[in-house]
Amino acid sequence: MSSIIALIAHDRKKDEMVAFAQKHSAILSHYHLIATGTTGARINQATGLEVQLMQSGPMGGDSQIAAQVVAGGVKAVIFLIDPLFAQPHEPDIQALLRICNLQQTPLATNLATAEAIMPSLSPA
């Protein structure tokens, strides 16, 4: 069974991700959390949740998470994307989104979809 949840947020979405993690910390605490560098550090600091830090997105963190998805251990990816700003590592972002679609891994790219998948992540 998949036991990893990946958390990623673009710079202007990091505050939203931290608030989301605080709100859902009881559910998230049942999973091994992985996150890109700054996002994961901020979640850890704000919630006390243990988060395995990958590289930052521009330094390959999105690709590291994509590899985890391919390996089959990721239950969901929550990636709060800022649609108003182009990212220098856009090819890596698109590769991660494609991998999630290929592997049938739930993928939330905004708060509405993140909130929608949380009930399915709640332990029985």
Side-chain angles (χ1 to χ4, degrees):
M1 179 169 154
S2 302
S3 63
I4 299 170
I5 295 179
L7 304 169
I8 310 163
H10 285 152
D11 288 345
R12 292 171 31 126
K13 299 293 182 172
K14 289 190 190 318
D15 290 342
E16 290 177 27
M17 178 61 84
V18 168
F20 176 83
Q22 288 172 321
K23 178 179 178 182
H24 296 288
S25 63
I27 293 171
L28 295 173
S29 68
H30 292 278
Y31 291 92
H32 177 84
L33 303 177
I34 61 174
T36 49
T38 305
T39 300
R42 289 198 49 198
I43 291 168
N44 172 262
Q45 184 176 44
T47 65
L49 292 168
E50 187 173 326
V51 182
Q52 180 182 354
L53 302 181
M54 304 287 127
Q55 295 293 316
S56 69
M59 300 304 291
D62 298 330
S63 296
Q64 287 178 303
I65 291 173
Q68 295 272 339
V69 173
V70 169
V74 178
K75 183 156 185 159
V77 175
I78 300 170
F79 189 167
L80 299 185
I81 292 174
D82 185 347
L84 298 178
F85 288 94
Q87 301 295 320
H89 59 293
E90 190 66 30
D92 293 343
I93 294 166
Q94 290 304 313
L96 173 58
L97 302 180
R98 181 176 172 274
I99 293 293
C100 287
N101 285 319
L102 285 170
Q103 296 294 320
Q104 297 294 310
T105 301
L107 169 66
T109 59
N110 58 53
L111 281 177
T113 54
E115 292 290 347
I117 67 169
M118 287 311 290
S120 70
L121 300 175
S122 185

